[in-house]
Amino acid sequence: ALGVFIQPLEQEFGWKRAEIAAGMTISSIFAVFTGPFVGLVVDRVGPRRIGMFGVVAGCLSLAAFSLVGPSILMWWALWLPAALAGAFLKPTVWATAVSSLFDAGRGLALALMLSGTALCSTLTPIVGTYFVATLGWRQAYLALAGFWAVLVIPIVWLFLTSAKDRN
């Protein structure tokens, strides 16, 4: 949903579009280094704990963007916890759970699981645009965090499990 927030951030702080978008670059670089670590942790403790942590941390880090001040360095610094939370929300976590529970129909189960990422990627800009237009960009970050928390935390809490979690 970063694209939804670029114009309001440019207007309020006078930052350049490239400076704002650099946050995503920070997150992408961070993901390269955290991916293997997250895979090891998922293997050790199971996807349920990692997924729950990732969802809560993701919602909190999204809400934290509402606190940004005029310093571009603060903006970039807020991308570090967001990147860490994002590492625990990668498909690796969900695919581990799904793969451990399905023998027959595993391909379909993985396809359905991965379509959730596409659905979230489709919904977030739409919902974000609505929130920015009605609430302003700061409150939109809080509303998006709340929206995803209310929607996803109960689902993960109730339904995310794996063979490792059942042992």
Side-chain angles (χ1 to χ4, degrees), residues 10-68:
E10 283 177 323
Q11 289 173 348
E12 182 157 338
F13 299 121
W15 299 337
K16 293 179 176 69
R17 190 171 294 263
E19 291 174 322
I20 297 166
M24 288 295 295
T25 303
I26 292 167
S27 184
S28 296
I29 291 169
F30 198 79
V32 169
F33 297 104
T34 58
F37 167 74
V38 171
L40 289 171
V41 175
V42 168
D43 286 343
R44 181 160 287 180
V45 301
R48 179 177 171 76
R49 290 184 189 129
I50 299 304
M52 201 61 209
F53 171 79
V55 170
V56 171
C59 291
L60 290 173
S61 65
L62 186 59
F65 283 112
S66 71
L67 303 173
V68 73

Side-chain angles (χ1 to χ4, degrees), residues 4-142:
V4 172
F5 293 91
I6 287 178
Q7 185 178 15
L9 290 167
E10 283 177 323
Q11 289 173 348
E12 182 157 338
F13 299 121
W15 299 337
K16 293 179 176 69
R17 190 171 294 263
E19 291 174 322
I20 297 166
M24 288 295 295
T25 303
I26 292 167
S27 184
S28 296
I29 291 169
F30 198 79
V32 169
F33 297 104
T34 58
F37 167 74
V38 171
L40 289 171
V41 175
V42 168
D43 286 343
R44 181 160 287 180
V45 301
R48 179 177 171 76
R49 290 184 189 129
I50 299 304
M52 201 61 209
F53 171 79
V55 170
V56 171
C59 291
L60 290 173
S61 65
L62 186 59
F65 283 112
S66 71
L67 303 173
V68 73
S71 169
I72 192 68
L73 295 176
M74 183 181 183
W75 172 254
W76 293 335
L78 285 171
W79 280 93
L80 293 174
L84 179 62
F88 292 95
L89 292 169
K90 297 289 183 202
T92 308
V93 176
W94 320 117
T96 302
V98 169
S99 294
S100 73
L101 295 175
F102 286 86
D103 289 322
R106 184 179 292 154
L108 177 60
L110 285 167
L112 288 171
M113 179 268 312
L114 289 169
S115 69
T117 303
L119 181 62
C120 290
S121 296
T122 302
L123 282 178
T124 300
I126 295 167
V127 174
T129 299
Y130 172 76
F131 287 150
V132 168
T134 58
L135 303 171
W137 72 267
R138 285 188 192 276
Q139 287 71 30
Y141 271 121
L142 294 172

